[in-house]
Amino acid sequence: MPSISFIARFALVCIVLAFSPIVECFPQKNAVFIILDGISADILEKQETPALDEIAKAGGYTRAWLGGIKGGYSESPTISAVGYNHVLTGTWANKHNVWDNDIAKPNYHYQNIFRIAKTANPQIKTAIFSTWLDNRTKLIGEGLEAAGNVKLDYAFDGFELDEEKFPHAKDKKFLFEIDEHVSKEAASYIAEYGPDLSWVYLEFTDAVGHQYGDSNQYFEAIKNADAQVGRIWQAIKKRQSQNNEEWMIVVTTDHGRDAETGKNHGGQSDRERTVWITTNVKSLNEQFKNNPASVDIMPSILRFMNIEIPFDIKREVDGVPFIGKVSVANLKASKNDNQIDLQWHVLNPEGEAEIFIATTNQFKDGKNDEYKSVGKVKVREGKFRFAAPASSAFYKLVLQAPHNMINTWIVPPPAK
Ligand SMILES: [Zn+2]
């Protein structure tokens, strides 16, 4: 029996559940996520952004964070491509291995949202609208064996390379022209074809930030980006009313900006680590209201689309869905005198959680780790202590709760 077999599309998406004769059908659901480059939350909140406000009114707006655990094993630079890959893979840079905009050696074993969606259901239609070509060819790794040979159904990107159509000038206004081009095409393509999963990336705001810092030019660029989002939002509303579809839009940014001038980013200051998420989805949960992170976007979108993340990948995802039911977040672990102490944030106290431990990280090489159960605990306890398995300085810990799973690492102390 196939674990997941695809039966029908359009009005309903049906799957045969693993090891069961039950067929479950869901309404077709579509998602678009938009990354607006380098917009700090404090500045965004002071601008007039009618499109983002309307989306937030339908669902919600929240500040969020990125950059991994500050000073810890998952600390990740607040740099653009690093930030996009948090969104795509639901993991921090210690896993996805993109540390800067060179994107030299992404670890594709931490699968991106397009690959997971396409693998779960090859009929899903995907699209990308972007200035940068690298977003498709390097981060998603389209057509690369190592990245699962994913092929996007529609790509409208790479315009930064087209200097004939968009001549480069110091003021970087050509990036605004490209964003116009990209957002108009995204809106018209979505209105006409309604792809299941799309990524829109708009860049100009960051270029203005680098050039002018926190300035009127930057405020203006944010308002323009809002209008570009508005185009896409209008297309979505049209599809929802005319095609009886249910859509999720998520708009976010890839990093904040430095506190001094706003011209820079890359460091670990609070302002650089602070981002924001807005979405039209109504079923926002405690995670959205408490302490969401950019890595939460990937599991949230897949949950909305009724796409199950494969178990071995889910165990590695650093994000928590911010829609639907969730149990736990923010797992912390420490080792003292051969005891391991776990602590977590309780989002929903019901039920029992099981704790698993592995002393290897073979997942990074595409292999499985041997996880052992070390016990069960009531979710509401919020903590658990157990004897550390001997002879290791490295541990991967997973807390499997009724509504979601979270993980953390214990790493050897740095060599002196
Ligand atoms: Zn950026």
Side-chain angles (χ1 to χ4, degrees):
M1 171 186 228
S3 60
I4 290 179
S5 100
F6 183 79
I7 294 171
R9 196 165 166 263
F10 304 113
L12 289 174
V13 176
C14 300
I15 59 169
V16 180
L17 297 179
F19 313 114
S20 117
I22 299 166
V23 177
E24 280 201 7
C25 295
F26 308 98
Q28 187 194 336
K29 292 191 176 185
N30 306 61
V32 180
F33 58 100
I34 303 177
I35 299 178
L36 305 178
D37 205 315
I39 299 182
S40 57
D42 56 306
I43 300 276
L44 177 75
E45 288 159 12
K46 288 184 198 131
Q47 307 312 310
E48 277 183 33
T49 52
L52 290 173
D53 293 354
E54 198 182 303
I55 294 166
K57 206 175 160 199
Y61 166 88
T62 180
R63 285 195 180 193
W65 62 279
L66 49 64
I69 300 164
K70 195 171 172 175
Y73 72 91
S74 61
E75 184 175 290
S76 309
T78 55
I79 293 174
S80 299
V82 185
Y84 318 156
N85 222 27
H86 299 332
V87 175
L88 292 173
T89 65
T91 66
W92 303 118
N94 62 303
K95 292 179 182 172
H96 68 56
N97 207 39
V98 170
W99 296 94
D100 54 36
N101 292 334
D102 291 342
I103 317 175
K105 213 169 182 282
N107 189 333
Y108 295 116
H109 297 303
Y110 299 91
Q111 296 191 14
N112 69 67
I113 189 168
F114 289 101
R115 182 175 177 183
I116 293 170
K118 276 278 190 190
T119 306
N121 179 357
Q123 308 279 340
I124 276 177
K125 298 289 181 224
T126 52
I128 184 169
F129 308 88
S130 162
T131 338
W132 278 21
L133 187 64
D134 289 357
N135 287 349
R136 173 164 55 95
T137 55
K138 291 188 178 177
L139 290 180
I140 297 170
E142 186 182 58
L144 299 180
E145 181 80 39
N149 274 315
V150 176
K151 175 90 181 77
L152 295 187
D153 296 284
Y154 185 65
F156 189 79
D157 61 3
F159 301 101
E160 95 274 24
L161 302 171
D162 187 352
E163 294 202 39
E164 206 167 301
K165 194 164 180 192
F166 300 102
H168 292 200
K170 224 177 146 200
D171 64 9
K172 300 272 181 108
K173 285 235 173 79
F174 68 94
L175 288 173
F176 171 71
E177 298 303 330
I178 291 176
D179 288 351
E180 284 288 286
H181 191 54
V182 165
S183 59
K184 282 176 187 169
E185 176 65 12
S188 77
Y189 188 87
I190 286 169
E192 190 168 352
Y193 300 104
D196 298 279
L197 177 63
S198 309
W199 175 16
V200 183
Y201 165 72
L202 303 175
E203 185 178 352
F204 186 56
T205 41
D206 187 60
V208 176
H210 282 298
Q211 199 158 13
Y212 300 102
D214 304 326
S215 61
N216 286 330
Q217 289 92 330
Y218 181 54
F219 306 158
E220 205 53 41
I222 292 171
K223 285 184 221 167
N224 286 331
D226 179 75
Q228 289 159 349
V229 170
R231 270 180 203 135
I232 297 160
W233 175 231
Q234 290 307 323
I236 288 171
K237 286 199 294 184
K238 196 170 149 196
R239 284 214 65 102
Q240 293 198 127
S241 64
Q242 294 179 0
N243 299 62
N244 193 28
E245 293 164 352
E246 211 180 317
W247 283 73
M248 177 181 197
I249 182 171
V250 180
V251 192
T252 189
T253 192
D254 56 339
H255 48 76
R257 311 201 74 84
D258 74 281
E260 289 73 30
T261 63
K263 286 189 178 177
N264 304 302
H265 59 83
Q268 295 296 322
S269 69
D270 286 348
R271 194 174 184 227
E272 288 163 291
R273 289 172 58 89
T274 302
V275 293
W276 47 272
I277 299 168
T278 189
T279 176
N280 66 323
V281 168
K282 293 200 191 310
S283 58
L284 298 169
N285 60 26
E286 292 307 310
Q287 175 69 0
F288 192 83
K289 285 158 203 157
N290 275 321
N291 194 20
S294 61
V295 288
D296 298 344
I297 293 171
M298 178 268 230
S300 303
I301 292 175
L302 290 173
R303 182 177 267 195
F304 177 83
M305 295 176 74
N306 293 315
I307 292 170
E308 189 66 29
I309 301 173
F311 186 79
D312 57 331
I313 299 170
K314 201 193 283 190
R315 213 158 39 186
E316 300 286 341
V317 167
D318 293 319
V320 170
F322 54 65
I323 63 167
K325 278 194 164 185
V326 278
S327 302
V328 288
N330 197 19
L331 185 62
K332 286 188 177 148
S334 59
K335 189 181 165 204
N336 305 297
D337 301 331
N338 290 320
Q339 295 286 309
I340 290 179
D341 280 297
L342 292 179
Q343 277 186 299
W344 57 91
H345 189 74
V346 179
L347 297 170
N348 177 338
E350 69 189 25
E352 254 191 351
E354 188 163 6
I355 290 116
F356 296 88
I357 192 166
T359 55
T360 57
N361 188 22
Q362 303 195 91
F363 186 90
K364 73 172 180 352
D365 304 315
K367 298 178 204 136
N368 283 326
D369 294 298
E370 199 184 317
Y371 280 91
K372 289 198 172 99
S373 174
V374 291
K376 289 183 178 175
V377 60
K378 289 194 167 70
V379 169
R380 69 163 179 266
E381 299 285 330
K383 60 182 184 181
F384 188 74
R385 171 179 277 191
F386 62 99
S391 72
S392 183
F394 173 81
Y395 303 96
K396 295 206 295 190
L397 295 137
V398 172
L399 184 73
Q400 194 179 338
H403 303 302
N404 72 302
M405 214 188 292
I406 51 176
N407 73 83
T408 192
W409 291 2
I410 294 174
V411 299
K416 284 178 186 146

